Amino acid sequence: MTAFSLEPAQLAWCAELRALAVERLRPYAEKGEPGRVNRPLVAELGRAGLLGRLFTSGALDLCLMRESLAHGCTEAETALALQGLGAHPVHLHGTPEQRERWLPGVADGSAIAAFALSEPGAGSDAAALALRAVPDGSARWRLTGEKCWISNAPEADFHTVFARTGPDAGARGVTAFLVPADRPGLTGRALDMLSPHPIGALDFDAVPVTAADVLGEVGSGFRVAMGTLNLFRPSVGAFAVGMAQAALDATLAHTAGRDAFGGTLRDLQAVSHQVAEMALRTEAARLMVYAAATAYDDGAPGVPRRAAMAKLLATETAQYVVDTAVQLHGARALQRGHLLEHLYREVRAPRIYEGASEVQRGIIAKELYAHLEDQR
């Protein structure tokens, strides 16, 4: 179905990406170890030219890439997205030296990036960061504390780390640092999570950083983090839409061919109406994701609200669609290795990471009331 106002060239590119995901990327994904960084897969994304596009594409192109890859290979989609999330602050706020040192490796897949924002006591509440950057002379600090639930940790080659450099509470006093993995005092451990992609914790024991490691300006780290999330939140929604579409496609094929009660499942109104609802919600989510991404690219007002709406609707929709698909497939969908068993594990995390659904609702309400006050 043609959605939004995509041009024929964009639709053709999406079809190419879906084929690429199945034919070139999925074989690498199937050889990977769950919960570990799949470096051969990341390298293949680099050879395909997709990682380099992270630094030249707008929000809509990012969404099209993530949706299309997710339809055929969620592992490839996630590997691409994590490279972008970890490296975007370097691309946008890094010094020429930082960009020259790390971005070529991200683009060709030889350097793995991580976005280290969440902490045990500051997951969705990003302003409650406790990782301390203790002054250690002029323009030098020591990072002390913990980061948790960090994708690509502890195997990443460098991390975008957010730490508190000032005593101010809340969003003020946070600075973003580029921290290579080989810094003394930096250790990590993998976490055994429901999601199959790599997630870990990082421990900072007086890790040294200097002014040369700062991304942006001292004290502007919260702005760096939120700017990155405003770009990537709609594309999290695109990831969800890709999974929802894959589940819907599988359900259409299954219900059209599965004999039951003297006909096929599609002949049962209770089934066909559920399939219609799955398609309705998926298309609605897709349209909102594309609209939010286009607003970001156009510099339109209300981007935080639009991004939050897109992520919220799409991730909640994908959860519904995948769950309904499992129900209509029956027990076969619960077998290890089935597409829907895989999607069922994948689909849960996006409702939490990069701001939980409850946080998105809070952002939407805050933006709505702020707009009301501006009108008065």
Side-chain angles (χ1 to χ4, degrees):
M1 180 182 294
T2 301
F4 198 59
S5 58
L6 297 183
E7 299 293 335
Q10 292 173 306
L11 294 171
W13 183 50
C14 289
E16 292 175 6
L17 290 174
R18 289 193 295 271
L20 176 74
V22 173
E23 297 166 7
R24 284 180 56 180
L25 302 177
R26 189 185 292 172
Y28 286 95
E30 291 173 346
K31 296 176 184 178
E33 182 180 345
R36 297 293 304 274
V37 172
N38 188 333
R39 288 183 181 266
L41 174 61
V42 177
E44 187 65 16
L45 284 165
R47 284 190 290 270
L50 297 183
L51 296 178
R53 291 194 68 143
L54 289 169
F55 308 123
T56 60
S57 298
L60 180 58
D61 276 359
L62 177 60
C63 286
L64 296 181
M65 281 195 288
R66 294 190 68 174
E67 178 187 342
S68 301
L69 292 179
H71 185 271
C73 181
T74 58
E75 295 92 340
E77 183 284 332
T78 301
L80 174 102
L82 296 182
Q83 288 288 84
L85 186 65
H88 178 74
V90 182
H91 168 64
L92 201 61
H93 301 282
T95 64
E97 292 77 16
Q98 290 169 331
R99 293 196 294 268
E100 183 179 353
R101 169 66 180 87
W102 293 106
L103 295 187
V106 172
D108 66 23
S110 62
I112 303 299
F115 185 79
L117 178 62
S118 295
E119 298 178 2
S124 291
D125 186 6
L129 296 181
L131 180 70
R132 293 179 295 117
V134 180
D136 182 32
S138 177
R140 302 177 66 90
W141 300 266
R142 295 275 180 170
L143 303 181
T144 300
E146 181 182 3
K147 292 292 182 180
C148 198
W149 308 299
I150 306 304
S151 295
N152 281 348
E155 299 177 73
D157 297 304
F158 71 95
H159 315 81
T160 296
V161 178
F162 299 88
R164 190 163 297 285
T165 47
D168 295 329
R172 298 182 301 276
V174 173
T175 299
F177 294 94
L178 192 162
V179 183
D182 60 359
R183 285 289 167 86
L186 176 58
T187 57
R189 60 195 184 280
L191 299 174
D192 189 8
M193 307 287 287
L194 177 68
S195 297
H197 74 267
I199 302 176
L202 297 170
D203 295 303
F204 295 80
D205 183 10
V207 175
V209 290
T210 71
D213 300 311
V214 172
L215 293 170
E217 299 176 357
V218 174
S220 67
F222 192 77
R223 181 171 58 84
V224 172
M226 292 304 104
T228 302
L229 294 177
N230 283 337
L231 169 62
F232 276 85
R233 275 175 177 156
S235 71
V236 175
F239 173 37
V241 168
M243 289 190 287
Q245 188 65 54
L248 173 59
D249 290 347
T251 302
L252 284 168
H254 174 70
T255 55
R258 175 75 156 84
D259 293 330
F261 305 105
T264 60
L265 284 176
R266 66 182 287 183
D267 299 323
L268 301 174
Q269 187 180 75
V271 171
S272 62
H273 282 192
Q274 287 188 80
V275 172
E277 184 70 17
M278 293 162 69
L280 171 68
R281 296 195 190 190
T282 299
E283 187 66 7
R286 176 180 287 114
L287 290 170
M288 181 160 279
V289 166
Y290 291 178
T294 301
Y296 182 97
D297 289 339
D298 291 345
V303 165
R305 172 178 56 84
R306 291 171 180 265
M309 284 182 168
K311 180 183 186 293
L312 174 63
L313 179 64
T315 55
E316 296 282 338
T317 293
Q319 183 79 56
Y320 165 81
V321 171
V322 171
D323 186 71
T324 304
V326 169
Q327 193 70 20
L328 293 177
H329 276 74
R332 73 190 68 225
L334 302 178
Q335 289 181 274
R336 287 286 183 183
H338 193 282
L339 169 66
L340 291 174
E341 179 270 335
H342 175 77
L343 291 177
Y344 201 75
R345 287 184 290 115
E346 282 273 26
V347 80
R348 188 59 183 85
R351 291 172 60 202
I352 296 174
Y353 65 61
E354 295 187 37
S357 292
E358 292 74 16
V359 170
Q360 305 311 318
R361 290 186 173 94
I363 292 171
I364 294 164
K366 179 181 178 182
E367 293 288 321
L368 288 172
Y369 285 116
H371 180 67
L372 176 64
E373 292 299 321
D374 290 342
Q375 290 181 318
R376 289 178 175 174

